[in-house]
Amino acid sequence: MGADAGPMNMMSDMRAKENVAKVATHPAGFGLYLFDYRSEFRAVHGARRQFGVLAQEVAEFDPSSVVREKDGYLRVDYAKLGIVLH
């Protein structure tokens, strides 16, 4: 996994998410999900339903797209995966 977090890195650690539902599979093989952030993450990352990936899963397919921040949580560079979030 990479060491530096950039501005495109999004909180994608499965430990920060709940109510996770797989909705599709990325062409690279990992899942695409709808989820809610756990209550302690909502103020920073949003309280609405979200779309994204699970960092632990992405790390198995493309470890260069995943970084571990100083707080110990994993983040994913969605741009490296070809995913655009709005």
Side-chain angles (χ1 to χ4, degrees):
M1 283 181 273
D4 298 318
M8 297 304 298
N9 292 335
M10 302 295 291
M11 169 64 83
S12 296
D13 197 302
M14 66 178 23
R15 298 171 295 168
K17 300 176 178 185
E18 62 186 4
N19 304 318
V20 178
K22 187 173 182 178
V23 295
T25 302
H26 188 277
F30 51 84
L32 300 172
Y33 300 89
L34 290 177
F35 63 91
D36 299 308
Y37 280 110
R38 295 186 182 279
S39 59
E40 61 266 36
F41 297 96
R42 291 181 189 152
V44 173
H45 301 290
R48 63 176 170 62
R49 194 86 168 136
Q50 306 276 337
F51 171 81
V53 299
L54 300 177
Q56 287 84 346
E57 191 175 60
V58 172
E60 296 176 21
F61 293 88
D62 186 1
S64 70
S65 294
V66 180
V67 295
R68 183 178 306 277
E69 288 284 352
K70 293 176 186 173
D71 62 8
Y73 287 97
L74 301 175
R75 287 163 176 78
V76 170
D77 184 338
Y78 280 76
K80 283 187 176 180
L81 303 176
I83 299 172
V84 177
L85 298 176
H86 300 280

